[in-house]
Amino acid sequence: MGGLILALWLLGSPSDAQISVGERALAYLVELTRIDTTNPPGNETRAARWLQRVAMEEGIACELLGPDPDRLNFVARLEGSGRRRPMLLMAHTDVVPADPAQWSVPPFAGLVRDGYVWGRGTLDDKSLLAAELAAMVELKRRGVRLERDIVLMAEADEESGSTGVRWLLENAREKIDAEFALNEGGFIVQLPSGRRVYHVQTSEKIPTRVVLRARGASGHGSVPVRDNAVVTLARALARLAEVEQPVHLNTTTRRYLRAMARIEEYRWLAPLLAGLNRPESAIMAAGAIRAKAPEMEALLRTSVSPTMLKAGVKINVIPSVAEAYLDVRRLPNESAEEVVARLRRAVHDSTVEILPAPGQAMPQAPPSPHHSRLYKHMEEVFLKASPGALVVPYMQTGATDGAYLRHGGIPVYGVPLFVREDGPGRAHGNDERIAVDGLKAGAALLYEILLAAGR
């Protein structure tokens, strides 16, 4: 409880000029976590107004933008000389739902306990937002002379529709236009040897959700029918499970795998790399990687995961329609049409329809360059903080709002500020939490990146 009292004192203290950027990020995260922005319905304006109050108290120009008064986006700007194009910091204010009955602490209390900040959004994505705001305030308070504007965008509705960032790009692009942007998606891995690997997200797989719909004869459950839609659907899913998706490497994954293969803990990867480049051995090599590191294997090809089933209204009624929902994550160098055509060939049944699932459709976007000025500055900052560390470009298997900016011509980097911890308390999970020391260190890293890239 002492950490919580300290964080609240920091936030309200009028004489906190000597507070570190990390302590300020802690105070901001505690307050942001206490603002319930569960999506749906979101109500992100609550967080946007809190951000506005902090920015105005610090003399940082800001505004609230958006078509829905309950779901406004926050945009702040710290002006530089204009010699270089702006740099954008982005994060989202909404969070996924949390069932208090499944938590050991209230999910929106912003508790600091046992060395962690607990609460929904502490990992996704209010920790990044707190660090970004703290770093911006630090630049302002120190009067750092910048050669470029630093813009902070906290958007609404990342978790369900990305309406916030899409609205800004379509209606207020000039407010957030930048040479490059920093976003979520990066992470630090602490290896058993003590060495750190900084994963800079430069690309991401594209959600391409589909529905398999089988039709058949309906009737009473006591009289089996030959063309049972549920059976037809089950056969289709079984065929998909048996088919290995093709292996495709891109510039990001090639560089990532080569770099990881040089680490002691991943020496086993080196002899498999050549096999990935040969069509006749790629599937076998990918299978060997999956046995050791399933998350790494997911970078090599489009993934297909059945996640939901829908059929029937009563146990003694044979339904005429059965549906399966598939979470397909395609590689950025494959089109949706290519993937769907491959699924149709695998199912090999004209009575099974393969249709786009309703919901958000993410755009195809090029990877952010590995040799930009910002990427080099990040490398320098990370290596200074962790001598002997490895900095690698990384393709995320999930998806972020960064895809919309990349599609619009703004390179986006998922910045690795925080050490990824496995086990309970991860993003979207019960008892979500972030280590206090890690949060402080990450905020300090971000400040150094802004110093290097902003001057």
Side-chain angles (χ1 to χ4, degrees), residues 4 8 30-31 33-35 105-112 118-120:
L4 174 58
L8 296 176
V30 166
E31 291 299 302
T33 305
R34 290 181 160 190
I35 303 172
V105 301
F108 297 102
L111 293 178
V112 179
W118 299 63
R120 175 59 83 221

Side-chain angles (χ1 to χ4, degrees), residues 287-303:
I289 292 173
R290 179 171 53 204
K292 289 271 193 178
E295 187 173 340
M296 183 176 285
E297 187 267 344
L299 303 175
L300 307 177
R301 45 187 168 186
T302 292
S303 61

Side-chain angles (χ1 to χ4, degrees), residues 124-409:
D124 186 13
D125 181 35
K126 290 180 177 179
S127 51
L128 177 60
L129 178 56
E132 290 172 340
L133 180 61
M136 178 177 269
V137 168
E138 190 77 4
L139 290 172
K140 174 68 175 177
R141 288 195 171 197
R142 294 195 179 202
V144 176
R145 300 173 67 88
L146 300 166
E147 292 192 352
R148 67 170 88 243
D149 291 0
I150 304 295
V151 180
L152 171 57
M153 171 184 70
E155 79 267 22
D157 194 34
E158 189 271 350
E159 293 289 1
S160 63
S162 298
T163 55
V165 71
R166 287 191 285 135
W167 188 91
L168 288 167
L169 285 169
E170 293 168 6
N171 298 279
R173 165 113 187 197
E174 72 282 0
K175 305 282 188 181
I176 62 171
D177 198 29
E179 182 179 354
F180 32 57
L182 291 180
N183 191 25
E184 62 178 328
F187 58 92
I188 306 168
V189 170
Q190 182 83 45
L191 297 174
S193 63
R195 191 178 188 185
R196 287 192 163 190
V197 183
Y198 291 82
H199 290 66
V200 181
Q201 192 252 54
T202 59
S203 182
E204 52 194 80
K205 297 177 81 173
I206 306 169
T208 313
R209 280 71 182 252
V210 299
V211 179
L212 265 59
R213 180 178 297 153
R215 298 184 185 275
S218 62
H220 199 285
S222 63
V223 182
V225 296
R226 187 177 184 86
D227 53 342
N228 186 310
V230 175
V231 175
T232 300
L233 180 65
R235 290 188 183 123
L237 291 174
R239 292 189 187 109
L240 283 178
E242 293 169 357
V243 172
E244 294 275 12
Q245 296 295 317
V247 173
H248 295 295
L249 299 180
N250 54 43
T251 54
T252 300
T253 52
R254 286 183 191 279
R255 183 171 173 181
Y256 173 71
L257 292 171
R258 285 199 301 266
M260 294 298 288
R262 294 195 293 269
I263 300 175
E264 181 62 35
E265 288 87 344
Y266 288 88
R267 293 290 187 194
W268 56 265
L269 179 60
L272 298 173
L273 296 184
L276 292 176
N277 292 302
R278 294 193 298 268
E280 66 274 13
S281 58
I283 295 295
M284 184 177 297
I289 292 173
R290 179 171 53 204
K292 289 271 193 178
E295 187 173 340
M296 183 176 285
E297 187 267 344
L299 303 175
L300 307 177
R301 45 187 168 186
T302 292
S303 61
V304 181
S305 297
T307 54
M308 297 171 62
L309 297 171
K310 180 182 177 182
V313 294
K314 196 174 181 184
I315 194 169
N316 63 348
V317 177
I318 299 172
S320 59
V321 178
E323 294 180 339
Y325 289 74
L326 275 57
D327 186 3
V328 178
R329 303 295 176 118
R330 80 178 194 269
L331 295 173
N333 51 344
E334 285 192 316
S335 69
E337 292 75 17
E338 286 178 288
V339 172
V340 171
R342 196 160 63 237
L343 296 181
R344 285 200 175 100
R345 289 194 298 270
V347 169
H348 194 59
D349 188 335
S350 60
T351 67
V352 178
E353 298 177 273
I354 300 181
L355 309 167
Q360 182 180 3
M362 304 290 285
Q364 193 160 355
S368 301
H370 308 155
H371 303 292
S372 69
R373 182 182 293 110
L374 177 56
Y375 192 96
K376 291 184 180 300
H377 285 316
M378 284 193 288
E379 280 188 314
E380 293 167 359
V381 169
F382 297 146
L383 292 175
K384 181 179 179 181
S386 303
L390 183 65
V391 182
V392 293
Y394 176 73
M395 182 178 73
Q396 186 176 349
T397 55
T400 72
D401 274 359
Y404 291 98
L405 273 74
R406 287 192 184 104
H407 182 72

Side-chain angles (χ1 to χ4, degrees), residues 10-14 16 24 28 49-62 74 133 137 140-141:
L10 292 177
L11 190 66
S13 172
D16 61 352
R24 184 168 285 109
Y28 289 163
R49 293 205 184 283
W50 183 87
L51 294 166
Q52 181 185 47
R53 176 172 65 81
V54 173
M56 292 177 66
E57 288 175 354
E58 298 293 341
I60 298 173
C62 63
F74 168 84
L133 180 61
V137 168
K140 174 68 175 177
R141 288 195 171 197

